[in-house]
Amino acid sequence: MKKENKRNKRAVCIMSGGMDSTLSAYMMQAQGYEIIAVHFNYNQRTQTKELECFENICTSLHVKQKYILDLDFFKQLGASALTDTNIEVPTQGVEEGVPVTYVPFRNGIFLSMAAAIAEKEGAEVISIGVVEEDSSGYPDCREAYIQAMQNAINLGTKESTQIEIKMPLVHLKKSQIVQEALKLSVPLELTWSCYKNEEKACGVCDSCRLRLNGFEKAGITDPIPYE
């Protein structure tokens, strides 16, 4: 019976097509979870590329069930360099504080939608690839915040619904993320991190800088193309 239960464990994995969320999904699969993949199109600058990466990663993971959700709300909201083309993506280097690439409450909205999917599908876990210690300073990537969302989700769902939000990367450095990905044979060449470009990564936005620094410290060459 225990083996049967293990096979039936299900995890709703929020997957952007980036390195962090991809590794999180691979970690869930390695722990015996069946992956329900969830991707959000929210009019971000690299939406087409991210969706392409998500589809390729789902193929690599042999995902049987996926949700691709369109959120026009974020385009109306603007307020972020990722969703408003009038705001320039910063390229001068990672600075202290919350950057203009922060999308207001994005992870809260993503987690709420993932919770609805998890309740419908009978999944016991939501996976999200947030990184607190070595990220761009986004407030919705903090461990305490994710834990508070877990409590809120369980208060606002059926009594029989008990969801754990797993954030396996939250305390890792980017170099450790690269190393963990290599251990699990994660196809990093299928992932995308650039905030600006869809053909060749810019190499100078915050996300590219953090990614390249992680590969450099891990002593590995990043397999994606850069300008």
Side-chain angles (χ1 to χ4, degrees):
M1 280 300 289
K2 283 185 179 176
K3 284 185 180 177
E4 191 69 30
N5 287 339
K6 187 174 181 183
R7 266 207 306 273
N8 290 340
K9 291 197 305 184
R10 311 183 88 193
V12 173
C13 296
I14 298 172
M15 295 166 59
S16 66
M19 186 166 66
D20 302 343
S21 62
T22 301
L23 172 58
S24 295
Y26 269 80
M27 290 170 89
M28 293 302 101
Q29 189 176 72
Q31 290 172 29
Y33 289 95
E34 178 190 332
I35 303 302
I36 300 167
V38 181
H39 181 78
F40 297 99
N41 294 321
Y42 56 99
N43 291 103
Q44 67 272 40
R45 287 174 186 257
T46 54
Q47 176 170 294
T48 303
K49 181 66 176 180
E50 288 182 27
L51 180 59
E52 175 194 313
C53 291
F54 168 76
E55 294 283 11
N56 289 336
I57 292 157
C58 283
T59 300
S60 176
L61 278 165
H62 306 291
V63 168
K64 293 175 185 170
Q65 189 166 13
K66 60 190 174 189
Y67 289 80
I68 298 168
L69 304 175
D70 296 320
L71 301 177
D72 292 340
F73 156 76
F74 282 112
K75 185 178 183 181
Q76 294 177 347
L77 185 67
S80 167
L82 297 194
T83 55
D84 186 341
T85 52
N86 294 315
I87 304 173
E88 287 294 319
V89 173
T91 56
Q92 66 272 23
V94 181
E95 296 180 350
E96 290 292 315
V98 180
V100 295
T101 49
Y102 165 65
V103 180
F105 205 62
R106 182 187 67 178
N107 284 346
I109 292 161
F110 287 0
L111 285 167
S112 297
M113 298 181 81
I117 293 168
E119 185 162 44
K120 177 217 168 185
E121 298 288 353
E124 60 202 77
V125 161
I126 295 169
S127 159
I128 186 166
V130 293
V131 179
E132 180 174 345
E133 295 193 358
D134 193 16
S135 68
S136 298
Y138 296 155
D140 58 351
C141 287
R142 291 179 292 196
E143 182 177 29
Y145 165 68
I146 302 295
Q147 288 171 340
M149 277 297 291
Q150 176 179 299
N151 292 338
I153 284 166
N154 285 317
L155 283 169
T157 48
K158 293 180 294 188
E159 202 172 318
S160 59
T161 301
Q162 286 297 315
I163 294 169
E164 179 186 1
I165 303 178
K166 286 184 180 278
M167 39 182 163
L169 314 184
V170 72
H171 294 305
L172 297 187
K173 300 290 187 188
K174 284 290 182 190
S175 56
Q176 293 173 308
I177 289 168
V178 173
Q179 289 162 347
E180 287 299 316
L182 292 171
K183 283 180 198 170
L184 286 178
S185 300
V186 175
L188 293 172
E189 70 278 4
L190 300 182
T191 65
W192 197 253
S193 302
C194 185
Y195 286 153
K196 286 183 68 179
N197 299 345
E198 294 188 307
E199 294 298 322
K200 290 186 176 181
C202 73
V204 290
C205 70
D206 288 1
S207 188
C208 279
R209 286 177 188 272
L210 288 165
R211 177 177 173 130
L212 284 168
N213 187 51
F215 273 92
E216 185 182 348
K217 286 187 174 174
I220 307 292
T221 303
D222 190 346
I224 70 167
Y226 285 86
E227 286 183 338

